[in-house]
Amino acid sequence: MQTLNVELIRKVIEKIRTEPKSFSMSYWWVPPTNYCGTIACFAGHCVIDSGYTFFSSSTALSPNGTEVSIATEATKLLGLPYGIADLLFFTRKWPLEYQNMLDINDNSLTEGEVLILILERVMEEGTQFLLDDALNH
């Protein structure tokens, strides 16, 4: 059984809290430009915070120079089975109670704030609630 990489999750949570403009679930990874800094989703920040460098919008170069899929590598780095990681990497797959927090008519929480709530629950309870929700919806 894989072990959840709580340290990496905490690093990403801290990044989202301190640099919210660096976070968007719309992009795996967008390198810095003259107009803005690096923008990445949860998976993108996992690989960035683990020493990977940008290669393309969905791939990165590992510390040893190998081109890897951001989603696949982030899944491994997090210590999650792929199916579970997928439930975290796409907002449309988040549990409905969390998707509802993103209701465009009630902009009370950002994607980053909602993801932090999900990740805190994952660290406290494990990932079973993600599976339960996916199976029920």
Side-chain angles (χ1 to χ4, degrees):
M1 181 170 194
Q2 296 172 307
T3 302
L4 183 65
N5 188 341
V6 173
E7 181 181 337
L8 179 56
I9 291 173
R10 286 189 176 130
K11 282 174 76 173
V12 173
I13 287 173
E14 184 61 23
K15 181 74 167 189
I16 294 168
R17 283 188 172 135
T18 59
E19 296 180 43
K21 291 183 179 182
S22 74
F23 179 79
S24 172
M25 289 298 288
S26 299
Y27 309 99
W28 292 107
W29 186 345
V30 178
T33 66
N34 292 334
Y35 307 104
C36 65
T38 298
I39 300 170
C41 66
F42 175 50
H45 277 294
C46 287
V47 297
I48 291 167
D49 289 346
S50 298
Y52 292 64
T53 56
F54 179 81
F55 189 77
S56 75
S57 62
S58 63
T59 62
L61 292 177
S62 68
N64 70 10
T66 305
E67 182 182 357
V68 295
S69 158
I70 291 171
T72 302
E73 205 64 16
T75 299
K76 292 176 190 174
L77 291 166
L78 288 165
L80 293 171
Y82 186 75
I84 298 291
D86 203 39
L87 299 174
L88 292 170
F89 294 165
F90 300 97
T91 57
R92 69 181 182 278
K93 294 185 179 186
W94 286 356
L96 287 178
E97 69 182 286
Y98 295 98
Q99 288 183 39
N100 292 338
M101 292 177 188
L102 295 173
D103 184 342
I104 57 173
N105 297 318
D106 176 28
N107 287 322
S108 58
L109 293 177
T110 66
E111 288 178 334
E113 291 167 329
V114 174
L115 178 63
I116 288 170
L117 293 174
I118 296 169
L119 294 174
E120 287 174 339
R121 187 170 173 191
V122 165
M123 289 187 298
E124 184 177 317
E125 298 177 23
T127 58
Q128 187 62 44
F129 78 96
L130 297 168
L131 280 174
D132 292 343
D133 184 83
L135 293 172
N136 291 317
H137 298 101

